[in-house]
Amino acid sequence: MSEHGTLPEQNPNYGRIMSFTRRGSRLGDKYEKVMEEYGPAYVIDYPQGPAQTTLAKDAFVDLRAAFGRSAPLVVEIGPGSGEQTMSAALARPEWNFLAIEAWSPGVARCVNAAVREGVQNVRIMEVDAAQALPILFRCGEVENPRAREVWTFFPDPWRKKRHHKRRLVSDNFAKTVALVLEQGGVWRMATDWADYAWHMRDVVANSPHFSNPYSEKNPDAADQGQYRGGFAKRWPGRVMTRFESRGIEAGRKIFDVEAIRERD
């Protein structure tokens, strides 16, 4: 029995591996007001599952209705404060941008950024991407449109080796991204942790759903992964966020990985 008197099997979070950390959830007065006034316009509500930030297994969230239109879709996982999402939304007003964020203050910051920039083509879901995306984009009689691109920029590196199992990018997650993307769609990744970059490259190389247009190109001399090379040039559409700036200031190399969704 846990210290709270709950048996492990009764706790819906027991045994669940999460790629994100449960940090403080206080928004502060500024963000509380932003969410109260603008949250309903930007944040997609959904039928909740039994565990925190999970989507009910039988849920259907109509993205066309949420955006109020059909348009090319980009899904960003872990948008931080929304710098990348808002920049892209401004540059491509004819596209839809869905930000998946599991941390309440992060959601509030994204909403604040959307309001500040005046974008109308962004929606945000406070949900665990690994759990929710297979439900959100599952095949069935009624389906959501597949995404043109999926972005996974600077995900939590979970630096300690014993925590690597918590890393978002994995063989199983590649299957999820393949479900989300349309054929020919692009999965863009970036990290400032070399061993995570090697792992990302290996995940793409080992997936039957993706090809790497930079296969064997731009090798890293320190590479200890399964393959060599396979790193993309910095994508011009990726803005400099505080996560990348911190990595550069710390002297770490920035790696980009690009994967193309192949025909099944």
Side-chain angles (χ1 to χ4, degrees), residues 47-118:
Q48 295 187 358
Q52 294 172 311
T53 62
T54 62
L55 188 60
K57 291 183 178 180
D58 60 350
F60 174 69
V61 179
D62 190 339
L63 293 182
R64 292 184 183 89
F67 282 97
R69 66 177 185 177
S70 293
L73 176 67
V74 174
V75 177
E76 181 173 15
I77 300 164
S81 296
E83 303 102 314
Q84 175 66 45
T85 306
M86 305 314 153
S87 174
L90 285 170
R92 289 187 174 272
E94 73 279 12
W95 285 33
N96 292 337
F97 293 84
L98 176 62
I100 303 293
E101 174 59 62
W103 186 43
S104 296
V107 171
R109 289 174 182 174
C110 285
V111 171
N112 188 61
V115 173
R116 183 179 64 244
E117 299 298 340

Side-chain angles (χ1 to χ4, degrees), residues 32-188:
E32 289 279 4
K33 292 178 181 178
V34 167
M35 290 299 292
E36 182 178 348
E37 186 171 356
Y38 299 103
Y42 287 101
V43 179
I44 298 176
D45 197 11
Y46 60 86
Q48 295 187 358
Q52 294 172 311
T53 62
T54 62
L55 188 60
K57 291 183 178 180
D58 60 350
F60 174 69
V61 179
D62 190 339
L63 293 182
R64 292 184 183 89
F67 282 97
R69 66 177 185 177
S70 293
L73 176 67
V74 174
V75 177
E76 181 173 15
I77 300 164
S81 296
E83 303 102 314
Q84 175 66 45
T85 306
M86 305 314 153
S87 174
L90 285 170
R92 289 187 174 272
E94 73 279 12
W95 285 33
N96 292 337
F97 293 84
L98 176 62
I100 303 293
E101 174 59 62
W103 186 43
S104 296
V107 171
R109 289 174 182 174
C110 285
V111 171
N112 188 61
V115 173
R116 183 179 64 244
E117 299 298 340
V119 298
Q120 303 297 321
N121 54 333
V122 170
R123 297 293 182 270
I124 304 147
M125 289 186 71
E126 184 179 342
V127 74
D128 176 358
Q131 186 273 341
L133 286 175
I135 299 172
L136 193 61
F137 289 91
R138 66 176 159 218
C139 296
E141 292 183 8
V142 182
E143 297 181 24
N144 276 311
R146 294 300 185 265
R148 187 73 55 89
E149 298 194 2
V150 171
W151 300 341
T152 313
F153 295 145
F154 301 94
D156 194 322
W158 292 101
R159 290 170 284 175
K160 295 180 180 179
K161 191 170 183 179
R162 69 176 184 271
H163 292 156
H164 283 187
K165 64 183 179 181
R166 294 185 177 273
R167 286 178 166 177
L168 177 64
V169 178
S170 64
D171 293 338
N172 281 335
F173 191 65
K175 297 175 184 177
T176 293
V177 176
L179 178 65
V180 173
L181 281 170
E182 63 184 28
Q183 291 179 359
V186 184
W187 182 15
R188 301 187 188 279

